């Protein structure tokens, strides 16, 4: 089966190359017709057995990594399609033509701006009940992708993911905090977030969140926190933390050592010191604008298997005893 790479400039379509087994679509300019003026898709007509992956991309330095990450998602059995939301309008189109796959189709949508709110824009090409929102520097394994989706299928009104944070209140300074607790959480990060595609419409089209989205624009930050506000406000429930099979490689984490400096320095979270303060300010402003605190805590972690936690020595190293074969 052959498909085409398509460029959309000012609504003119130019087919420039035919390729096999995958789709790459490069679009620029205005977004398609406003989804908020049309009837929302009937969830019963959306695919329940797979999800659509939305990867946000911006830096050309990360293109090789993005190529690998997109291919990993496309190879997962739970993924119907991968959409790369390219939010750097100045990138030459030819640089994006190698983002290909032989599995699930990959589409590159060139955003008209770098607005973080566009990460949650309800694309008309989404045909699944679930979407997975992802960063361009986080690479899970296919088993962990499939497991997160299966947990979502059992909890379709919740936000699911392996990266979580928490909100709290500083009684001394009388301000909201963005933090990490060891026993509870209330925010799933967009490093890898699975949720109902219905929430994309809630985020984008509900007038209740208009002023909050303006704060995201102003700060160029906190769209993930706002989505957690939206979901918690709709269902009055906290998110669900899921474990991973072999861990998730986070290339953009500032705690990484060695190679990959460019990947680490691109992300917003690499700005040390002020990061948590700014995120706490977002929580406080969202609370003020909504007039309430909708975030709810979740507890514990859903795992795909339960193994023995005892450690045994093998080859001079400590390993989990149930992973050691005794002779």
């Amino acid at each position: 089966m052959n498909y085409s790479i398509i460029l959309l400039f000012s609504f003119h379509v130019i087919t420039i190359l035919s390729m096999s087994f995958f789709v790459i679509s490069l679009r620029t300019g205005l977004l398609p017709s406003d989804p908020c003026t049309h009837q929302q898709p009937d969830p019963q007509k959306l695919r329940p057995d797979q999800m659509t992956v939305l990867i946000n991309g911006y830096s050309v330095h990360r293109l090789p990594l993005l190529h690998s990450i997109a291919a990993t998602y496309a190879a997962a059995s739970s993924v119907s399609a991968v959409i790369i939301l390219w939010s750097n309008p100045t990138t030459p189109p030819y640089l994006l033509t190698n983002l290909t796959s032989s599995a699930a189709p990959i589409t590159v949508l060139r955003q008209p701006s770098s607005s973080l709110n566009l990460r949650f824009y309800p694309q008309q090409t989404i045909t699944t009940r679930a979407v997975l929102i992802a960063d361009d520097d986080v690479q899970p394994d296919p088993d962990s992708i499939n497991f997160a989706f299966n947990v979502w299928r059992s909890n379709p009104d919740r936000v699911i993911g392996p990266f979580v944070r928490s909100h709290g209140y500083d009684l001394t300074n009388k301000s909201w905090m963005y933090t990490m607790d060891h026993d509870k959480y209330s925010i799933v990060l967009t490093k890898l977030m699975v949720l109902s595609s219905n929430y994309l419409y809630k985020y984008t089209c509900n007038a209740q969140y208009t002023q909050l989205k303006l704060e995201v624009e102003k700060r160029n930050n906190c769209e993930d926190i706002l989505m957690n506000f939206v979901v918690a406000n709709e269902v009055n429930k906290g998110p669900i933390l899921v474990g991973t099979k072999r861990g998730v490689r986070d290339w953009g984490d500032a705690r990484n050592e060695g190679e990959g400096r460019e990947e680490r320095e691109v992300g917003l979270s690499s700005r040390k010191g002020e990061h948590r303060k700014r995120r706490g300010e977002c929580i406080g402003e969202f609370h003020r604008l909504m007039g309430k605190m909708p975030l709810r805590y979740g507890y514990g972690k859903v795992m795909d298997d339960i193994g023995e936690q005892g450690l045994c020595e093998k080859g001079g190293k400590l390993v989990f005893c149930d992973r050691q074969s005794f002779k």
Side-chain angles (χ1 to χ4, degrees), residues 43 119 126 131 176 182 185 212 268 301 307 313:
R119 298 191 70 174
I126 296 174
V131 292
W176 290 100
H182 294 292
Y185 48 87
L212 287 78
L268 289 171
K301 179 190 294 186
E313 183 177 350

Side-chain angles (χ1 to χ4, degrees), residues 217-274:
E217 296 288 349
K218 172 184 172 182
R219 301 168 185 270
N220 194 34
N221 201 340
C222 303
E223 81 287 355
D224 52 347
I225 296 176
L226 179 52
M227 177 55 87
N228 282 273
F229 265 73
V230 170
V231 176
N233 188 51
E234 296 292 330
V235 299
N236 196 33
K237 297 177 183 178
I240 296 177
L241 171 64
V242 294
T244 58
K245 192 72 174 179
R246 292 186 290 275
V248 176
R249 184 68 168 97
D250 187 354
W251 296 90
D253 194 305
R255 294 168 293 185
N256 276 298
E257 297 179 354
E259 298 179 358
R261 180 179 178 182
E262 287 182 339
E263 281 76 11
R264 295 195 299 273
E265 292 183 347
V266 170
L268 289 171
S269 59
S270 66
R271 302 171 187 171
K272 300 178 181 179
E274 291 294 307

Side-chain angles (χ1 to χ4, degrees), residues 158-178:
R158 312 280 283 278
V159 181
I160 313 293
F163 296 95
V164 294
R165 298 294 185 266
S166 184
H167 72 292
Y169 193 75
D170 185 336
L171 292 175
T172 301
N173 295 318
K174 295 186 167 88
S175 62
W176 290 100
M177 300 183 300
Y178 173 81

Side-chain angles (χ1 to χ4, degrees), residues 172-191:
T172 301
N173 295 318
K174 295 186 167 88
S175 62
W176 290 100
M177 300 183 300
Y178 173 81
T179 184
M180 180 184 293
D181 290 321
H182 294 292
D183 58 349
K184 62 184 178 180
Y185 48 87
S186 56
I187 298 167
V188 170
L189 304 183
T190 47
K191 291 174 182 285

